[in-house]
Amino acid sequence: ECLGGEKRIKMATYIPVGYPLIDEQQRFFVNQVNETGKGSVRIDMYWGGSLLKGKEILPGLQAGTADMVFQTTAYLLGSFPVIAIQNLPIWDSLEKAHVKLEMDGPLAVFQNDVLRKRNLFQLAVGGAVPEFLWTRRKRVRTPADMRGLKIRVAGKLEAVAMETLGAVPVTMSSAELPQALQRGVVDGALMNPWTARGRGVEEYCRYMLVYALSSQSTPIYVMRNKWESWPAEARSVMKNAAAKWEKNYLTLITKTYPLKETIIPIYEKAGMEAVYPTTVEKAEFARALKPLIDWWVSQVGQETGNRILMLAGVK
Amino acid sequence: MSLLAIIAITIALMLGFLLFGFPIFLSMGGAGIIGIMMHSGIDGLSLLQTTVYGAVSRFTLVAAPLFILMGEVIFRSGIGADLYKILSWLLRRIPGGLAMATVLACAVFGAMCGISIAAVATIGVIAIPEMLKNGYDKGFAAGAVCAPGALAMLIPPSLLFILYGEVAGVSVGKLFVAGILPGVLLVVLMSAYIILRSLTVPGMHQSDAATPTFHRETVNAFKRVWAPLLLILAVLGSIYFGIATPTESAAIGVAGAYLSACFVYRSLDRKRFGETLEEAALITGKILIVYVGAVIFTQFLNLSRVPETIAGFIAAMDTPPWATMIIIQSMLVLLGMFIDGASMILITTPILLPIVKVMQWDPVWFGVLMIANIEIAVITPPLGLNLYTLSAVSKEIDSEAILLGTFPYVAVMIIGLILLIVFPQISLWLPSMM
Amino acid sequence: MLFMALIIFYDVGMRYLFNRPTFWAMEVSEYLLVYLAFAAAAGIQDRKSHIKMDYFHNKMSETARGYIDIIIYLGMVGFASAIIWTSARMTIIAYQYESSSNSTLEVPLWLPYGLVPLCMTLLVLQGAIDMAKAFKKGFFQ
Ligand code: NA
Ligand code: NA
């Protein structure tokens, strides 16, 4: 593994090459480490699922097929419900999510304390981006508008969120989603507007509800014991790179690809309508989603759940 | 050992195993495992666990066994024979009419599902015995199923278009529409080949002359034909009217096939019912284990970064667009000999896409070319899933005959691919009307 | 397989007619697919009907074919053992870390993972039986 004192690290992601935003962000980290770590650490990167695909990332990390991974948290919630704090509908601003989830911040440290029990280490999160509700025909402004709509979801948390709001969660492979929307097998889907670009979904959906019904993040993970066994110099290179990576993420989502100025107009040009709920309507959603947060607290345990919510600035 | 030597040894091993009659799954999987161990030692084997499980735990694959089961029911209940009887009766005066009926049946089936192996399994089970009964050459009969079976990927709905669309960020709807005319073009080319071959090889179409008399059976076939037509409608309709996704429509097809077999054909007793299930399970098992072997081998190639290197090599060359296109397509044909279609799209699309942008090619057009290329990939050895599927479902024909009989279609498809490259309008005209 | 068709059909029906989709149909069919893929391998080997290119194989002398068959069985045992070894490890890790699927079903992942080593054990046994038979034939000839 070590060549002339240089630590070689096998890193994997399943995100396809050229995937909007996330691919760019992941390349930033790898380049950063490989530039600043010359002689001490080098990342051997396997892009686009060439080593491990979506569901294989966690077992592959645990077995040592990869030493380090980027992984969308939605895939991990079954085994690590505590990190769902990054997916709950509590992040009303990108900056807030960035600050609260910052590396070595109290929330990150506490999450890692819980993850330690199962030997997982979350190096850095970067931030959380909102997932909006995209619908084919129905303009959704309030939870009442969602009643009975069939919404495609990606995991348990989203499914519970949709049930809480009176909608009907549907699971299907992402490959079949565009056609399912076109033909009306489902009425809508939860998607993050940065990465939904150009997947054809905008052709079949007329409305986008600009309100975070859930959130998405793609942190960096390592097995705890492996991380601790690495040379201090290599770890410090990676921590510095991760810190820059976090800042870069905020720049990307707020400056390079700002939501209102750049991202939403792409969909408006494609004929979609962005629906901005009023303050009153937003409050209605927040109230309606309260049982979801209670459900999550019951999943991770009262004490842990409330502590995390407090650190996230919710309670 | 240098990386190049490892790659060469592994590929040589796989070819050697194949030639000595090792089961395909063992040839590819075994060579892949040895390659992985040469590349990253015994620890590298940890890659196997996720690869093997991940290869088959995919919902998009669920459609395959379901369409195979549907095919078994259609076959054992006599529904398929009926449909095929009608098609061949309609085409009775044309040389090679039965083979052409097979091509059309594959195309119609392709419009029902997006998986080529399902098309081969279903139509193969029905059409091969009929063609053999009428004195067709074994290889000729096999080719008429194997190659047109691939049309399922080009004629919408198609899972590969869905994959490409997702990776390339191109509208799946446009891709679907773009695939229609190229699909028709290939049907025409294949039919032309069949007519030519039947006219030039003596004795090939004489046997067809025995079929055309309008038997009482044919009358009966026409009387019952509403049931299978309804079945096609149910599968297609459930997709087009938004009741189900393509995968789910396969389950509807199974239910519909059982219903028509029970109530219209009255041909399904308990024994036959059991046979459909057992046979379909065996066919599925044979195909999926080959798929597992293929994925292990593909994973070795990924680990040694073979596809990335090849694509990077193309990108680095400074050649005119037409030459680049020829190089890309030839490389894809070569690569397609060794890896499966889905992996080919997932691995090469992201790397080729920047080239597509630089050359200002339409990504929809490029997608069609890519899928047309994969149609060749599934019928070329050593890894040609259609070839293996046919040999799994048909006991009458050995793999040698399948290989030889399918080979001319590789040429036919390359002609088709060239036409698609020279005339982008074939792919782009319909989407431009949207 | 019939079960797979039934649950998906049921799912479509519930969703379309009653707007109440099952949340488990897709997941369960994925697990069934894993089972289908690996469980049949041993039975197919017993019938000697795994897909292969047997052109040269059929042209060899009986003795040569006998030797090659033994190598094939050996290879099969080796292949299946390698898969058992790694996938059993994955199963154990999933059990230790209590990994479960991210769905409302919350399936403990060692259950579907465990299908692979279990089914591959059958293939090892079948390979060993075939090998024993081949040797026996060799001795008595
Ligand atoms: Na199709
Ligand atoms: Na091939």
Side-chain angles (χ1 to χ4, degrees), chain A residues 9-45:
Chain A
I9 287 169
K10 235 189 226 173
M11 189 166 188
T13 176
Y14 79 96
I15 302 284
V17 178
Y19 203 75
L21 186 70
I22 302 184
D23 183 48
E24 200 174 325
Q25 167 71 351
Q26 295 183 343
R27 272 169 206 280
F28 180 88
F29 178 75
V30 177
N31 293 339
Q32 193 70 30
V33 170
N34 286 349
E35 275 161 28
T36 57
K38 277 205 179 75
S40 62
V41 58
R42 184 172 170 78
I43 292 181
D44 223 351
M45 188 66 204

Side-chain angles (χ1 to χ4, degrees), chain B residues 3-258:
Chain B
L3 187 60
L4 209 61
I6 293 176
I7 295 168
I9 291 174
T10 308
I11 292 179
L13 267 179
M14 189 212 31
L15 294 176
F17 289 162
L18 280 176
L19 284 179
F20 277 105
F22 281 47
I24 312 274
F25 85 90
L26 187 58
S27 309
M28 310 212 59
I33 289 179
I34 295 173
I36 290 172
M37 288 211 289
M38 286 193 291
H39 181 276
S40 37
I42 196 105
D43 288 339
L45 281 188
S46 71
L47 180 58
L48 270 187
Q49 50 178 4
T50 45
T51 301
V52 164
Y53 180 84
V56 287
S57 106
R58 290 189 189 165
F59 187 66
T60 37
L61 268 185
V62 168
L66 294 180
F67 277 119
I68 290 171
L69 179 58
M70 176 180 157
E72 274 299 313
V73 180
I74 289 176
F75 165 59
R76 282 174 199 273
S77 59
I79 300 174
D82 260 17
L83 251 188
Y84 191 67
K85 216 171 278 164
I86 291 169
L87 270 176
S88 46
W89 186 78
L90 291 173
L91 295 168
R92 68 195 178 283
R93 297 202 188 284
I94 298 169
L98 272 184
M100 211 180 292
T102 311
V103 174
L104 284 182
C106 283
V108 170
F109 193 86
M112 292 196 274
C113 88
I115 300 172
S116 73
I117 52 175
V120 171
T122 312
I123 306 299
V125 167
I126 301 159
I128 295 279
E130 289 295 317
M131 285 192 279
L132 294 183
K133 218 189 292 169
N134 282 280
Y136 272 58
D137 169 59
K138 279 185 181 174
F140 187 63
V145 176
C146 257
L151 291 171
M153 301 185 293
L154 203 53
I155 298 173
S158 152
L159 285 176
L160 288 187
F161 270 139
I162 296 173
L163 277 181
Y164 174 82
E166 188 157 273
V167 180
V170 181
S171 149
V172 176
K174 272 196 181 141
L175 287 169
F176 274 11
V177 175
I180 296 175
L181 284 183
V184 172
L185 172 75
L186 283 176
V187 170
V188 170
L189 287 178
M190 288 174 188
S191 306
Y193 162 75
I194 287 171
I195 295 181
L196 261 174
R197 174 89 202 271
S198 306
L199 287 176
T200 49
V201 180
M204 187 62 87
H205 70 280
Q206 284 168 354
S207 43
D208 281 356
T211 340
T213 40
F214 202 85
H215 290 299
R216 195 156 36 99
E217 277 174 52
T218 322
V219 180
N220 283 338
F222 267 103
K223 271 189 202 155
R224 289 180 298 208
V225 77
W226 63 268
L229 286 182
L230 203 67
L231 184 61
I232 296 181
L233 263 179
V235 173
L236 280 181
S238 63
I239 299 173
Y240 284 90
F241 294 112
I243 297 169
T245 64
T247 308
E248 295 167 343
S249 77
I252 294 176
V254 169
Y258 272 123

Side-chain angles (χ1 to χ4, degrees), chain B residues 398-415:
Chain B
D398 51 284
S399 48
E400 182 197 354
I402 295 179
L403 219 60
L404 291 178
T406 310
F407 193 70
Y409 288 89
V410 176
V412 172
M413 285 184 174
I414 288 180
I415 294 174

Side-chain angles (χ1 to χ4, degrees), chain A residues 155-175:
Chain A
K156 183 169 59 173
L157 192 77
E158 289 182 2
V160 177
M162 289 305 103
E163 275 171 357
T164 309
L165 292 171
V168 181
V170 177
T171 48
M172 68 173 58
S173 83
S174 66

Side-chain angles (χ1 to χ4, degrees), chain B residues 335-339 376-385:
Chain B
L335 201 61
M337 291 172 81
F338 298 101
I339 67 176
I376 302 173
V378 295
I379 61 167
T380 49
L383 176 58
L385 285 180

